[in-house]
Amino acid sequence: MQTDSARGDLMTAIVTTGHGGYDKLLVCEVPKPVPGPGEVLVRVLAAGMNNTEINTRVGWYRDGGWNDATPFPLIQGTDCCGLVCAGAGIDESLVGRRVLIRSCMRVDGFSSMQTRWLGSDMDGAFAQFVVVPASEVFVVDCEWSDAELATIPCAYGTAENMIARAGVGRGSTVLITGASGGVGSAAVQLATRRGARVIGVASRAKHDQLRELGIDQVYGRDADLVVALGRHSVDVVIDNVAGDGFGRLLDLLVRGGTYVSSGAIAGPVVEFDLRTMYLNDLTLLGSTAWDEDVFANLVSYIEAGDIRPLLAESFPLEQIAAAQQRFVEKGHVGKFVLVPPAVHDQA
């Protein structure tokens, strides 16, 4: 990506200057990016918020390994609903179309697991404009608002990837921890869509909202699931919580069952009895790099009305610190979204 500061074309962005607290989030005027060959300039209409942005800022990945060191200063923002404004050597029919940007880009093709993430490995959507490869924008035709569409990319892409890899289908019994969070609530909808029986874990205040999503059973975070459900009672565990309860989750799996994770919000260092895994022929799956059909499938689900957005609240982009403070309180169901200032010159 190139920038053109000589013309004085500026945009408002949130620049994360390094690891640390909210003081590392600066509201700045920075050069508007210019698309290179095969790239598009996208005006950001709304940008969803995720654990990833906060984890990156506070340095949570430093000991657990992201791709490389975070390239600070960085414009974060993994989720983007936007409008294609211009491009270089692209299909001109994209210009003027509302799109979602695929957050997880497979830079060496889908035969390689190498990834490039919007807002983590490259400048993202916490700005008025962003530049991405034209291959990573997906036109969406639906009546959802911009903010509603911005809830989709990271959470639903991550959830759909886990569900597909774990082979969830009609008749599967699936346990989802953190079921009220962005990824968890997406997984509830997407697993239900595939005809699975879905059991969730969430704080009791959020149970009614999860039942509205079609969840079959839901338990509080303090529930003893082995007592409630019985050993060997679920086919798949979708877990982004981990922490002290990790070992007990494996006790719930049927012989030949699958545990899949893309996060560890309760703690990444876990303890379990290895015999539980090998004597029960369990499969443990990590899920970060999205498979090729994941994002196109999500767009088709939106356009068919198979899923619905869970927009908890929208904030002006400049209020990112307040929004992140609210986010970490975990009092919401679904996603928070940031809305950049309006722009009159789209190109």
Side-chain angles (χ1 to χ4, degrees):
M1 183 190 73
Q2 307 165 345
T3 58
D4 184 2
S5 56
R7 290 185 355 208
D9 288 340
L10 299 177
M11 68 175 182
T12 301
I14 305 298
V15 177
T16 306
T17 59
H19 296 305
Y22 298 111
D23 60 310
K24 300 296 183 181
L25 301 171
L26 302 184
V27 182
C28 299
E29 294 296 307
V30 300
K32 185 169 72 175
V34 175
E39 295 181 329
V40 289
L41 176 69
V42 176
R43 176 161 67 91
V44 179
L45 301 174
M49 285 174 45
N50 299 280
N51 283 308
T52 294
E53 288 103 17
I54 296 171
N55 289 343
T56 297
R57 173 174 54 76
V58 301
W60 192 80
Y61 294 113
R62 282 184 292 190
D63 297 326
W66 196 250
N67 286 342
D68 292 297
T70 304
F72 294 123
L74 176 71
I75 299 171
Q76 294 184 285
T78 306
D79 288 339
C80 181
C81 169
L83 192 73
V84 176
C85 298
I90 65 159
D91 178 355
E92 291 298 325
S93 68
L94 284 173
V95 176
R97 303 299 299 276
R98 190 169 66 152
V99 297
L100 288 176
I101 296 176
R102 179 163 49 193
S103 310
C104 178
M105 306 174 192
R106 299 287 283 273
V107 291
D108 296 323
F110 288 90
S111 61
S112 166
M113 299 301 283
Q114 294 303 310
T115 59
R116 189 181 188 208
W117 280 82
L118 185 69
S120 290
D121 303 308
M122 58 187 288
D123 282 341
F126 291 167
Q128 290 175 300
F129 294 90
V130 64
V131 160
V132 297
S135 59
E136 306 306 321
V137 298
F138 289 73
V139 174
V140 187
D141 291 314
C142 70
E143 296 182 353
W144 292 16
S145 70
D146 301 331
E148 288 172 334
L149 278 174
T151 66
I152 292 296
C154 186
Y156 283 74
T158 297
E160 176 72 3
N161 201 55
M162 288 194 289
I163 286 167
R165 284 196 187 171
V168 172
R170 185 165 301 280
S172 300
T173 297
V174 179
L175 175 73
I176 300 171
T177 64
S180 62
V183 174
S185 57
V188 169
Q189 288 195 68
L190 293 166
T192 300
R193 180 194 165 277
R194 288 174 178 250
R197 173 175 171 249
V198 180
I199 304 166
V201 180
S203 64
R204 296 186 184 280
K206 302 171 183 177
H207 286 191
D208 286 345
Q209 288 170 279
L210 289 171
R211 291 188 184 100
E212 291 174 6
L213 292 180
I215 202 165
D216 294 284
Q217 293 173 262
V218 58
Y219 293 91
R221 293 173 182 165
D222 57 349
D224 186 328
L225 296 175
V226 174
V227 171
L229 299 173
R231 290 179 182 271
H232 314 306
S233 56
V234 303
D235 301 297
V236 175
V237 169
I238 295 173
D239 177 38
N240 273 6
V241 176
D244 293 340
F246 175 81
R248 297 284 277 173
L249 294 176
L250 299 190
D251 290 332
L252 294 169
L253 286 167
V254 299
R255 186 161 188 174
T258 299
Y259 169 96
V260 58
S261 176
S262 65
I265 60 175
V269 179
V270 299
E271 183 176 294
F272 72 104
D273 188 332
L274 194 63
R275 292 170 295 185
T276 302
M277 182 188 73
Y278 73 76
L279 290 176
N280 290 287
D281 297 288
L282 302 183
T283 298
L284 307 186
L285 289 176
S287 178
T288 292
W290 297 353
D291 296 331
E292 186 170 10
D293 56 353
V294 162
F295 208 70
N297 285 347
L298 284 178
V299 171
S300 73
Y301 304 161
I302 293 168
E303 293 180 338
D306 289 349
I307 57 176
R308 64 184 178 91
L310 290 174
L311 175 63
E313 193 169 347
S314 297
F315 300 80
L317 179 67
E318 299 92 327
Q319 294 181 15
I320 184 172
Q324 287 194 353
Q325 287 172 329
R326 287 274 305 282
F327 182 94
V328 299
E329 293 170 0
K330 301 298 182 187
H332 60 288
V333 174
K335 295 289 295 287
F336 284 174
V337 167
L338 299 173
V339 179
V343 221
H344 300 293
D345 177 13
Q346 296 181 6

